[in-house]
Amino acid sequence: AWLKRSNRKNEVRLHDVEWLASLAGLTGFELDRGKMDALWEDLMLDQFHDILPGSSVNETYEEARLTQARIAAGADALAAKAADALARQIDTSGFKKPVVLFNTLSWERRDAVQLSDGTWRDDVVIPAAGWTVIDARKKPARRGRSELAVSRDGRRLSNRFYDLRLDAKGRIARLYDRVNKREVLPEGACANEW
């Protein structure tokens, strides 16, 4: 299962590199096509009919683990270069401490974002296949409980919408809808079980 998950995450990473590089290319950025092609070729090699479904020998998976880690690191490095080139072209002059956030997905995102200073923002909306700029110094308008709270162990999260608790296996053991004042999960049930 780890290989299928890693494979899919790396497919998404490589998609994101191509998306960022395509936009940054409009301003003169040049993606290292040789590196990008090599990453795609390595990823496709691990999709061979005996590797991805899990019917190969152990040594193959030891090598695949190293390959998947190399793909992730390479894709992240290329994405960072493209994102940096693109961010330099975005007007951030109206911000004291600008942070450019990208959304490579085809739908609008309203996710909690952790900033480099460790604070969280849950008021951020990033348009589909686009970006937004926020000011890290500017705090969002208070609308009741607007900040995301995360417990030290990372198993309890709370914002103005939900209280969430994860069990030891990472399953959602409790999900309370703060807006509608109700438990979402039946007693004793867990969400996100596969």
Side-chain angles (χ1 to χ4, degrees), residues 113-149:
V113 177
Q114 186 174 24
L115 302 177
S116 60
D117 65 0
T119 61
W120 288 85
R121 295 274 300 267
D122 68 351
D123 64 326
V124 179
V125 178
I126 311 171
W131 60 84
T132 194
V133 181
I134 63 170
D135 196 328
R137 289 193 180 166
K138 185 177 179 183
K139 298 302 175 198
R142 302 286 298 178
R143 295 174 294 205
R145 188 174 178 174
S146 64
E147 291 187 25
L148 178 67

Side-chain angles (χ1 to χ4, degrees), residues 7-190:
N7 177 78
R8 182 63 187 131
K9 284 180 159 282
N10 281 331
E11 286 176 336
V12 170
R13 279 186 174 99
L14 293 174
H15 160 270
D16 292 352
V17 171
E18 290 177 339
W19 184 88
L20 289 162
S22 294
L23 289 176
L26 298 173
T27 65
F29 174 78
E30 289 190 31
L31 177 64
D32 184 333
R33 293 299 315 166
K35 285 184 181 178
M36 188 67 180
D37 289 348
L39 293 173
W40 271 117
E41 288 170 10
D42 285 346
L43 186 70
M44 289 186 289
L45 179 64
D46 277 356
Q47 294 176 350
F48 185 69
H49 75 273
D50 284 342
I51 300 173
L52 195 57
S55 57
S56 201
V57 295
N58 191 48
E59 290 81 11
T60 302
Y61 296 107
E62 291 171 7
E63 185 177 330
R65 192 175 297 274
L66 297 173
T67 301
Q68 291 292 319
R70 189 173 59 249
I71 293 166
D76 289 348
L78 290 175
K81 287 180 183 176
D84 184 56
L86 184 56
R88 284 194 307 264
Q89 301 301 316
I90 297 171
D91 181 12
T92 60
S93 60
F95 301 89
K96 291 180 181 176
K97 189 175 180 186
V99 176
V100 180
L101 301 169
F102 297 101
N103 178 8
T104 61
L105 302 174
S106 59
W107 57 86
E108 181 179 89
R109 295 190 69 176
R110 296 173 181 266
D111 296 328
V113 177
Q114 186 174 24
L115 302 177
S116 60
D117 65 0
T119 61
W120 288 85
R121 295 274 300 267
D122 68 351
D123 64 326
V124 179
V125 178
I126 311 171
W131 60 84
T132 194
V133 181
I134 63 170
D135 196 328
R137 289 193 180 166
K138 185 177 179 183
K139 298 302 175 198
R142 302 286 298 178
R143 295 174 294 205
R145 188 174 178 174
S146 64
E147 291 187 25
L148 178 67
V150 181
S151 66
R152 282 192 185 271
D153 65 4
R155 291 195 182 159
R156 287 187 207 81
L157 295 91
S158 182
N159 65 14
R160 69 180 177 271
F161 302 110
Y162 298 103
D163 288 327
L164 181 140
R165 184 175 51 83
L166 301 174
D167 68 11
K169 294 181 179 179
R171 297 175 301 189
I172 299 173
R174 179 176 188 242
L175 182 59
Y176 180 76
D177 182 339
R178 299 176 63 83
V179 175
N180 296 301
K181 298 178 176 57
R182 69 179 189 91
E183 293 289 342
V184 175
L185 300 176
E187 181 80 30
C190 288

